[in-house]
């Protein structure tokens, strides 16, 4: 069973994505145009990305003190992606976009994440950067910066983190001061000089494109020379590596942005990761030190602008984690089907005279493969479902659009974090299926694990996402988001309760839903955030597993319908989906009891542990 068949099944038979073409925004699309986009992405990923994934890892970016060197294959892959038009996939036709639904854009990008997540990093960041400018930039910022990024002429970055400010962005220390008396009259936007250090910046230096458009968070000091404390003082700036004029031509002036060094990472090595010094005078510009930056949006609204696209960005991270898990699943399934080892235990024990069987014959290996299948296909369903909610939010009618937005609020921390944890676990199981060979660099699975290990760390760490879910998302508006989610889950329970073979799962899900609801209340019973949030991560794990069980039940109903109808791609395909759903309900969902136990009792073990006792 190919990845494409599962993707098509989820998009067409489960989500019914074709129905979007009835909306004005997508009216020029059809099932065929959606399929063509996926075909193109699949082909470019297969030809330009997958063959070089290992190369991008072994020949990691290297800095000779002047320039950063990347394999030629990375340049060619990034440019092939740009030529496909995918950088502007969801943008309007009149800015050169394809006006595709978010669901199809994400589905197309899934091929690149599976083929080489690190080589795809440059394009994903560029698309996010330019989309942000389309939402918050001035008309000229859009035509000069965003348009050139969508065209693939320049690539972009997101510069939030600093050496001392990661999870706590209110502590960013980069400063922006007005550049001269006429700073407000620059056509590219109010012009400032930035000084500070940005750490961990992906794609922060390379020569794939002639310019790099950095989007930088910095604080503008008040009249007393001090910045406002907290996130309210943070503003957003466009800081191009090479300065440009209002026609988008390079002026020949190098901006004062210098690469201090590359970070040498566990995985994701094909994407450069940089420490950038802004405004330290390495490249004095227009007579002085200080990187020139143009304000985006209003002063103090930097974080709001940066997080405008947050749901999409986090769904993208989750999908990247899913696809790395998927790549490992495919590799380990292939290996298990070809590796002879061991013999079955018959009633009389093992018969050494018999030939060995392929390891896929062993129940324990099937357990590891089924776990991977349940994690990665379930994760894919989760991300596509969330992407479909993004489409509903942006192009649906009321109240469906508002409801989609509310559901996304609750589901986004899960969409980012669940695959980051469980599709990483899938990668670990893929190594295990390979035995000793999996622990070598002769097989791809160790790289998938290393690449995937990033996802629990960036775009809000696992712990920070957990606190966002329990501390904010499930309690906001009197718990409206969680109530709506519970309503949707209950509808599925109702339907599945009528389906022979699925009623047992429906009952289990009903119990899980009830437990998550009562544990949420119990966690907040004293109203003391410290007590509730001490066990936020087990809460995230339990909620994530409940959501995945829900989606698996819904997918199982679609698979059951396909089985009954004798639909393509055939019986084995649909039975596989039902088996994965059964695995999830029997082996995974029961885990939530342990997680919710400490949540509901506001277990104080971690909170009361003393530093000195370690
Ligand atoms: C490969 C890579 C690529 C990246 N790319 C980019 C990029 O392009 N742009 C960008 O701006 N940043 C990027 N980042 C930075 C990334 O977003 C940060 O690493 C992340 O936000 C965590 O910050 P930190 O590393 O400072 O860890 P810290 O914030 O110091 O966290 C360390 C640990 O403490 C926990 N912790 C922190 N605060 C709390 C709290 N209040 N309560 C409970 N636990 C807490 C965290 O969960 C974590 O486990 C990248 C990072 C990496 C590794």
């Amino acid at each position: 069973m190919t990845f494409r068949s599962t993707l098509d099944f989820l998009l067409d038979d489960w989500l019914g994505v074709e129905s979007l073409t009835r909306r004005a925004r997508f009216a020029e699309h059809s099932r065929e145009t959606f399929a063509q986009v996926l075909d193109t992405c699949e082909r470019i990923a297969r030809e330009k990305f997958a063959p070089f994934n290992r190369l991008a890892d072994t020949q990691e970016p290297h800095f000779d003190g002047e320039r950063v060197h990347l394999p030629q294959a990375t340049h060619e892959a990034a440019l092939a992606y740009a030529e496909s038009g995918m950088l502007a996939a969801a943008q309007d036709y009149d800015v050169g976009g394809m006006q595709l639904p978010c669901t199809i854009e994400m589905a197309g990008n899934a091929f690149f994440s599976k083929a080489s997540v690190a080589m795809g990093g440059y394009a994903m960041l560029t698309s996010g950067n330019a989309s942000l400018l389309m939402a918050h930039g001035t008309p000229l910022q859009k035509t000069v910066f965003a348009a050139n990024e969508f065209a693939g002429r320049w690539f972009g970055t997101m510069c939030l983190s600093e050496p001392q400010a990661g999870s706590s962005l209110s502590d960013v220390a980069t400063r922006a001061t007005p550049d001269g008396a006429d700073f407000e009259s620059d056509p590219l936007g109010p012009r400032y000089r930035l000084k500070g250090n940005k750490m961990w910046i992906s794609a922060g230096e390379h020569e794939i494109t002639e310019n790099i458009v950095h989007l930088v968070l910095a604080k503008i000091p008040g009249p007393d020379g001090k910045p406002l404390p907290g996130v309210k003082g943070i503003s957003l700036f466009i800081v191009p590596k090479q300065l440009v004029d209002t026609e988008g031509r390079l002026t020949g002036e190098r901006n004062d942005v210098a690469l201090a060094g590359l970070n040498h990472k566990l995985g994701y090595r094909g994407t450069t990761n940089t420490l950038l010094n802004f405004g330290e005078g390495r490249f004095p510009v227009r007579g002085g030190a200080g990187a020139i930056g143009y304000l985006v949006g209003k002063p103090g609204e930097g974080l709001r602008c940066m997080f405008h696209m947050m749901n999409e960005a986090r769904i993208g991270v989750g999908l990247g984690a899913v696809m790395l898990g998927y790549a490992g699943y495919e590799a380990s399934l292939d290996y298990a089907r070809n590796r002879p080892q061991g013999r079955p235990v018959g009633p009389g024990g093992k018969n050494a005279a018999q030939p060995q069987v392929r390891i896929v014959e062993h129940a324990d290996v099937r357990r590891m493969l089924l776990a991977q299948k349940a994690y990665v296909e379930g994760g894919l369903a989760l991300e596509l479902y969330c992407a479909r909610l993004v489409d509903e939010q942006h192009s649906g009618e009321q109240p469906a659009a508002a409801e989609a937005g509310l559901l996304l609020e609750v589901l986004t921390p899960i969409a980012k974090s669940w695959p980051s944890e469980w599709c990483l676990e899938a990668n670990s199981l893929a190594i295990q299926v390979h035995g000793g060979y999996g622990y070598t660099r002769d097989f791809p699975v160790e790289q998938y694990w290393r690449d995937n290990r990033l996802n629990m760390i960036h775009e809000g760490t696992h712990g920070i996402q957990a606190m966002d879910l329990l501390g904010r998302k499930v309690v906001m508006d009197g718990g409206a988001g969680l109530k709506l989610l519970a309503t949707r889950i209950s509808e599925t329970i109702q339907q599945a309760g009528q389906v022979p073979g699925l009623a047992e799962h429906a009952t289990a899900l009903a119990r899980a839903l009830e437990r998550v609801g009562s544990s949420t209340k119990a966690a907040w019973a004293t109203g003391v955030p410290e007590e509730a949030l001490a066990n936020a991560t087990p809460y995230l794990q339990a909620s994530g597993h409940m959501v995945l069980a829900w989606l698996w039940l819904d997918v199982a109903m679609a698979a059951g319908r396909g089985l009954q109808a004798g639909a393509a791609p055939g019986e084995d395909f649909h039975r596989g989906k039902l088996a994965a759903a059964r695995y999830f309900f029997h082996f995974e969902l029961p885990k939530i009891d342990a997680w919710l136990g400490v949540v509901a009792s506001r277990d104080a073990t971690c909170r009361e542990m003393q530093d000195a006792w370690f």
Side-chain angles (χ1 to χ4, degrees), residues 103-269:
T103 316
I104 298 298
E105 180 187 29
M106 293 266 181
N109 282 332
F111 290 102
F112 298 100
S113 299
K114 183 152 86 65
S116 180
V117 79
M119 289 169 81
Y122 301 91
M124 303 301 149
L125 280 158
T126 301
S127 180
N129 172 312
S131 301
L132 187 154
L133 289 176
M134 291 307 288
H136 298 287
T138 62
L140 196 61
Q141 288 174 342
K142 290 180 198 176
T143 53
V144 171
F145 296 106
N148 278 307
E149 290 186 74
F150 286 137
R153 208 181 132 207
W154 305 338
F155 278 177
T157 71
M158 300 287 200
C159 304
L160 296 78
S161 308
E162 299 182 0
Q164 81 300 338
S167 300
S168 178
L169 286 174
S170 59
D171 292 301
V172 299
T174 300
R175 295 283 178 272
T177 48
D179 184 34
D182 67 342
F183 80 103
E184 277 181 308
S185 58
D186 197 305
L188 290 174
R191 196 181 59 241
Y192 287 75
R193 290 279 182 156
L194 277 75
K195 292 191 180 178
N197 313 106
K198 289 290 173 181
M199 181 57 164
W200 304 119
I201 305 311
S202 297
E205 184 59 63
H206 57 75
E207 293 183 357
I208 302 173
T209 48
E210 64 177 17
N211 203 1
I212 302 176
V213 180
H214 302 291
L215 281 180
V216 185
L217 290 182
K219 290 189 173 181
I220 303 170
D224 60 355
K226 290 187 192 148
L228 276 180
V231 294
K232 289 206 179 74
I234 300 177
S235 305
L236 180 66
F237 301 87
I238 300 169
V239 185
K241 176 180 159 186
Q242 307 286 349
L243 293 178
V244 303
D245 65 17
T246 53
E247 303 294 315
R249 290 175 299 227
L250 303 192
T251 62
E253 301 161 292
R254 167 80 201 239
N255 204 356
D256 195 6
V257 185
L259 176 67
L262 294 176
N263 293 309
H264 300 286
K265 295 172 288 178
L266 176 71
Y268 244 98
R269 291 183 182 166

Side-chain angles (χ1 to χ4, degrees), residues 29 33-34 36-49 75-91 96-100 104-105 107-112 120 123-124 127 149-153 155:
H29 283 292
T33 61
F34 289 167
Q36 279 162 11
V37 169
L38 300 184
D39 290 346
T40 304
C41 291
E42 189 173 9
R43 181 179 52 76
I44 299 173
R46 185 178 59 241
E47 293 172 359
K48 298 283 186 186
F49 285 70
H75 290 246
E76 286 167 13
L79 295 176
Y81 184 94
E83 276 168 21
S84 76
M86 282 299 285
L87 285 167
Q91 298 298 319
M98 292 196 268
Q99 225 160 290
L100 281 170
I104 298 298
E105 180 187 29
N109 282 332
F111 290 102
F112 298 100
M124 303 301 149
S127 180
E149 290 186 74
F150 286 137
R153 208 181 132 207
F155 278 177

Side-chain angles (χ1 to χ4, degrees), residues 24 116 138 144 176 284 310 323 365 403 463 467 489 506 515 519 522 613:
S116 180
T138 62
V144 171
M310 187 182 70
M323 295 320 300
V365 173
E403 286 181 3
M467 287 190 287
I489 294 177
R515 276 223 73 188
S519 302
W613 300 346

Side-chain angles (χ1 to χ4, degrees), residues 473-484:
K473 299 298 177 64
V474 298
V475 290
M476 65 182 197
D477 299 338
L482 188 59
K483 274 188 206 135
L484 181 59

